[in-house]
Amino acid sequence: MLPPSGQTEEDKWRLSYVPGDLFSCPEDESLPHCISEDCRMGAGIAVTFKKRFNGVEELKQQNKVTGQCAVLKRDKRYVYYLITKKKFSDKPTYDSLRQSLEDMKSHCILNGVTRVSMPRIGCGLDRLQWDRVSVILEQVFKHTHISITIYSLSKRAEQPR
């Protein structure tokens, strides 16, 4: 049976692209990014997350491992720390990213999160390829009611894959 709007379940999820600063997103949207098990956050956008949301000890106490997701609640949003590698100097795999996104999805569903804003996760210093990451996002979230907005500081307009 179709929802009243005529949309299928697959149509409920959405991936959008906007230029601009991730931290300018609405304050009730959840924010994920990738980190290592050691919660070092010493480079890239992770430094901004660390300064803005603090909580390194709170994250470490969650004892999350690669493929899981640590979570901080900050005001009206959740901040998701996707554990995609053991040490900060390691590189993630597409599988570890997928597993941590699945863990994040479970938390989102349990906590009624329907809007998430993120950078092109895993594609900065971690060097994953966006064309593959965007497919993983679709595979993980397509049967949910979660809308994802991808922020890019690039001046050129982002286009879906």
Side-chain angles (χ1 to χ4, degrees):
M1 185 163 134
L2 291 175
S5 66
Q7 290 182 311
T8 66
E9 285 300 310
E10 281 191 40
D11 293 332
K12 295 268 184 193
W13 105 282
R14 188 177 74 242
L15 183 63
S16 308
Y17 293 81
V18 298
D21 179 2
L22 172 66
F23 299 103
S24 69
C25 76
E27 61 188 36
D28 61 342
E29 293 194 9
S30 292
L31 300 171
H33 74 112
C34 300
I35 66 168
S36 53
E37 285 182 32
D38 56 19
C39 300
R40 181 94 169 259
M41 294 185 277
I45 198 169
V47 174
T48 306
F49 272 84
K50 185 175 174 180
K51 287 179 182 171
R52 186 174 289 255
F53 302 112
N54 300 309
V56 172
E57 286 309 311
E58 191 179 341
L59 291 168
K60 287 181 178 179
Q61 289 171 4
Q62 294 179 37
N63 294 316
K64 299 293 184 172
V65 296
T66 301
Q68 293 182 319
C69 178
V71 184
L72 296 177
K73 175 75 164 135
R74 294 294 186 258
D75 299 317
K76 299 176 189 174
R77 70 169 39 131
Y78 289 100
V79 184
Y80 294 108
Y81 296 80
L82 305 172
I83 314 294
T84 59
K85 55 193 179 182
K86 187 143 187 75
K87 292 174 43 183
F88 74 94
S89 56
D90 294 341
K91 295 296 177 204
T93 65
Y94 292 101
D95 283 340
S96 67
L97 176 63
R98 177 189 301 277
Q99 290 167 2
S100 62
L101 285 167
E102 290 282 0
D103 198 30
M104 181 184 101
K105 176 181 79 173
S106 295
H107 185 277
C108 287
I109 291 168
L110 284 172
N111 291 279
V113 173
T114 59
R115 294 184 338 196
V116 174
S117 289
M118 66 176 70
R120 292 212 253 173
I121 55 168
C123 298
L125 298 174
D126 282 337
R127 303 264 190 261
L128 296 179
Q129 297 299 309
W130 181 248
D131 60 340
R132 291 185 65 186
V133 171
S134 63
V135 168
I136 291 169
L137 284 170
E138 181 175 354
Q139 291 168 343
V140 170
F141 290 98
K142 73 179 174 184
H143 295 294
T144 70
H145 296 274
I146 300 167
S147 295
I148 299 173
T149 303
I150 305 299
Y151 279 78
S152 175
L153 290 174
S154 171
K155 298 229 186 322
R156 66 182 170 80
E158 292 290 343
Q159 296 298 317
R161 51 180 172 83

